[in-house]
Amino acid sequence: MKDSISERPHVSPRPWRRLVMKPGLSLLLCVLALSPGLSQEDTEKIYNGVECLPHSQPWQVALFEGTQLRCGGVLIDRRWVLTAAHCRGRYWVRLGEHSLSRLDWTEQIRRSGFSVTHPRYQGALRSHEHDLRLLRLNLPVSLTRSVQPLALPRSCAPAGTECRVSGWGTTNQSWNPFPDRLQCLNLSIVSHEACRAVFPGRITDNMVCAGGMAGKDACQGDSGGPLVCGGVLQGLVSWGSVGPCGQRGIPGVYTFVCKYVNWIRMIMRNN
């Protein structure tokens, strides 16, 4: 499930319903009816993961442009979603999802409006550093068992920490490369030294690497999705190697969220 590209730039890297009831319900049904196609060109997915226990990742967000999945994201507040800076655009934000094509009856949909990209992000073609962006939702979400914010970290996770990444990005299943249901994968954080040896001159203290086991990775469509360690958000899917996802000895690279907590809180407080 990882952006398998040297540039996970859009590789990167991986509107609803109603039953004579609420306005949002009709929109959901329309979107589900129109969303058969996830574009392979624009998405990245969890590679060699397994289907998550439904709604076990209630902070997971799917960012759509029309009927196309563009990126993942993570709910960190009733009105704020965190994603990768290279996930540019204005999105339909789908929360409470497990299956993207079937009605789970737990979905909520919002439109992203105001957004802030980290001011030091220079674009994926120049540097992957500071690859994070905050999206403010047009309306706050309703907190339910299936829609919950994820806590920000108080410290940085060390090498060896067990984590989980999730998303709807590309899988290794040739007959179904774009999963309909949310995929999960357990990974361990890799030391900065080991990661710098793989990507010389490209890894900074603001990045964290995880994985490196053959066939297990984040991939196209997963960009901006959460790396969760010990129940807090430690990383956002950012970039990876050139070539196929899940190459042995080549970890995925994530934005190290612990380095940005003060900036995130400042933006949320002031907007």
Side-chain angles (χ1 to χ4, degrees):
M1 123 187 191
K2 139 195 153 191
D3 274 310
S4 93
I5 52 179
S6 173
E7 329 289 337
R8 232 188 255 207
H10 260 144
V11 93
S12 49
R14 271 146 219 2
W16 306 325
R17 82 186 182 206
R18 179 192 193 194
L19 286 183
V20 185
M21 311 164 182
K22 300 181 179 178
L25 191 53
S26 60
L27 179 58
L28 172 59
L29 289 173
C30 289
V31 171
L32 290 175
L34 292 172
S35 67
L38 300 181
S39 139
Q40 180 170 1
E41 178 180 353
D42 294 317
T43 62
E44 302 195 48
K45 300 182 182 173
I46 300 245
Y47 199 74
N48 252 346
V50 298
E51 181 179 345
C52 304
L53 184 67
H55 310 297
S56 61
Q57 315 298 306
W59 43 78
Q60 178 75 47
V61 167
L63 299 180
F64 274 74
E65 285 183 339
T67 62
Q68 299 297 319
L69 173 68
R70 296 304 189 197
C71 284
V74 55
L75 184 70
I76 58 170
D77 178 85
R78 288 187 63 205
R79 199 157 190 169
W80 291 93
V81 164
L82 194 58
T83 188
H86 71 255
C87 294
R88 300 175 294 272
R90 191 179 180 203
Y91 297 105
W92 290 107
V93 180
R94 291 170 59 168
L95 310 101
E97 291 278 15
H98 182 63
S99 166
L100 293 179
S101 67
R102 299 177 183 177
L103 196 58
D104 295 311
W105 298 103
T106 54
E107 298 92 340
Q108 297 182 43
I109 188 167
R110 298 292 186 270
R111 187 71 166 152
S112 69
F114 175 80
S115 69
V116 182
T117 298
H118 194 279
R120 296 177 64 190
Y121 179 66
Q122 296 182 340
L125 296 180
R126 297 186 61 186
S127 169
H128 295 288
E129 192 169 21
H130 314 301
D131 189 11
L132 72 165
R133 180 182 181 217
L134 274 163
L135 307 177
R136 190 176 67 186
L137 305 180
N138 61 342
L139 293 171
V141 300
S142 299
L143 299 184
T144 67
R145 292 181 62 183
S146 302
V147 177
Q148 287 286 328
L150 182 60
L152 296 173
R154 296 184 178 182
S155 60
C156 296
T161 301
E162 293 291 325
C163 306
R164 171 169 290 185
V165 62
S166 54
W168 288 275
T170 306
T171 71
N172 64 325
Q173 300 174 347
S174 58
W175 63 92
N176 182 28
F178 299 99
D180 175 63
R181 297 174 183 177
L182 186 65
Q183 303 291 297
C184 283
L185 178 65
N186 293 331
L187 301 170
S188 296
I189 289 182
V190 175
S191 72
H192 272 78
E193 294 72 24
C195 197
R196 285 175 175 139
V198 176
F199 300 106
R202 303 183 65 189
I203 303 301
T204 74
D205 289 341
N206 296 314
M207 302 173 185
V208 64
C209 300
M213 296 178 63
K216 295 180 181 292
D217 203 354
C219 202
Q220 281 78 14
D222 293 322
S223 288
L227 180 72
V228 183
C229 313
V232 301
L233 178 64
Q234 285 287 354
L236 299 172
V237 177
S238 181
W239 61 283
S241 65
V242 177
C245 302
Q247 298 179 63
R248 182 183 297 278
I250 302 182
V253 187
Y254 300 75
T255 302
F256 212 0
V257 173
C258 64
K259 301 291 187 176
Y260 298 96
V261 172
N262 290 340
W263 178 78
I264 292 168
R265 294 195 187 283
M266 179 192 70
I267 296 300
M268 292 168 58
R269 182 173 62 250
N270 294 341
N271 295 280

